Amino acid sequence: MSTAWPTSWFDEPRISRGGVRTDVPLKGLTTFAIGGPARVLVEPLDPESAVAVVRRAIERGVSLRMLGNGSNLLVSDSGVDGVVLSTARMRRCVRTASDSRSGPARRSSAS
């Protein structure tokens, strides 16, 4: 793997609060316990921070991979030459009643 990217690319307080690390072995984050290092692993704490990570990766033109709980995931021993966004530390996402996408569609009552 080439020289690690500066973690300063992800120093925005919203992002770095959850954790930004370089050359992190992914085998500890998958249920199969295999896989080489992520060039950069970012662990946001909330959806807004995750969006900030995605935007920063796009701005920098770097590869981005998503990692949930690591179930049924095989990672190459050579690792991931890019940013891995882990959602494992994110707080639970909750939709509010004002979110038009939440809940089933309402049915109008027949008269």
Side-chain angles (χ1 to χ4, degrees), residues 2-12 15-16 19-23 38-42 53 56-57 60 62 81-83:
S2 58
T3 306
W5 296 326
T7 56
S8 63
W9 285 6
F10 300 95
D11 271 351
E12 182 179 328
I15 296 172
S16 61
V20 178
R21 299 180 286 157
T22 58
D23 299 319
R39 194 168 187 191
V40 176
L41 176 70
V42 184
V53 171
R56 185 60 50 89
R60 297 290 181 176
V62 298
D81 189 24
V83 175

Side-chain angles (χ1 to χ4, degrees), residues 1-5 9 23-24 26 36-41 57 61-65 75-84:
M1 206 166 282
S2 58
T3 306
W5 296 326
W9 285 6
D23 299 319
V24 178
L26 294 174
R39 194 168 187 191
V40 176
L41 176 70
V62 298
S63 173
L64 176 69
R65 300 287 183 261
V75 178
S76 168
D77 287 337
S78 62
V80 176
D81 189 24
V83 175
V84 175

Side-chain angles (χ1 to χ4, degrees), residues 17-95:
R17 200 175 59 222
V20 178
R21 299 180 286 157
T22 58
D23 299 319
V24 178
L26 294 174
K27 67 182 179 181
L29 302 175
T30 68
T31 57
F32 287 114
I34 63 169
R39 194 168 187 191
V40 176
L41 176 70
V42 184
E43 301 173 289
L45 299 178
D46 53 55
E48 293 80 14
S49 300
V51 169
V53 171
V54 172
R55 286 186 178 142
R56 185 60 50 89
I58 291 169
E59 288 169 7
R60 297 290 181 176
V62 298
S63 173
L64 176 69
R65 300 287 183 261
M66 301 293 290
L67 174 64
N69 290 326
S71 299
N72 303 317
L73 176 67
L74 299 174
V75 178
S76 168
D77 287 337
S78 62
V80 176
D81 189 24
V83 175
V84 175
L85 188 159
S86 171
T87 61
R89 294 183 61 199
M90 287 177 57
R91 293 187 301 244
R92 184 173 174 225
C93 297
V94 178
R95 290 185 177 168

